């Protein structure tokens, strides 16, 4: 364990099949989100044009920030359970 980085220690202790399954699921989820986001963006632009799509993306970004900032403050104020 002393020769491995800390982030690699847990995967090194897991079964090889479990590591491969986790890597496959993470890749599928990551790429699936990218593909779905691109397709939805194309549909929004086709349906309403670029100006409306930019306004929609700005509204969604503002909403996400308004939700994430209080959550981040609450998590930062709470002591870490180690």
């Amino acid at each position: 364990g002393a020769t491995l980085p800390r982030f690699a220690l847990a995967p090194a202790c897991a079964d090889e099949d479990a590591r491969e399954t986790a890597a496959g699921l993470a890749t599928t989820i990551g790429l699936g989100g990218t593909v779905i986001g691109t397709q939805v963006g194309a549909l929004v632009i086709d349906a309403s044009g670029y100006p409306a799509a930019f306004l929609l993306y700005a509204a969604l970004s503002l909403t996400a920030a308004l939700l994430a900032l209080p959550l981040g403050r609450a998590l930062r104020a709470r002591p870490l359970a180690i």
Side-chain angles (χ1 to χ4, degrees):
T3 61
L4 290 173
R6 289 178 67 194
F7 64 84
L9 189 56
C13 297
D15 182 37
E16 186 175 348
D17 289 336
R19 286 193 310 250
E20 292 170 356
T21 301
L25 285 173
T27 303
T28 302
I29 290 167
L31 292 176
T34 303
V35 170
I36 290 171
T38 303
Q39 293 299 321
V40 168
L43 291 173
V44 168
I45 290 170
D46 282 345
S48 61
Y50 281 105
F54 288 141
L55 289 174
L56 177 65
Y57 295 150
L60 290 174
S61 298
L62 181 63
T63 303
L66 290 174
L67 293 174
L69 290 175
L71 178 62
R73 282 192 204 115
L75 290 174
R76 187 175 37 185
R78 192 171 52 178
L80 293 174
I82 297 177

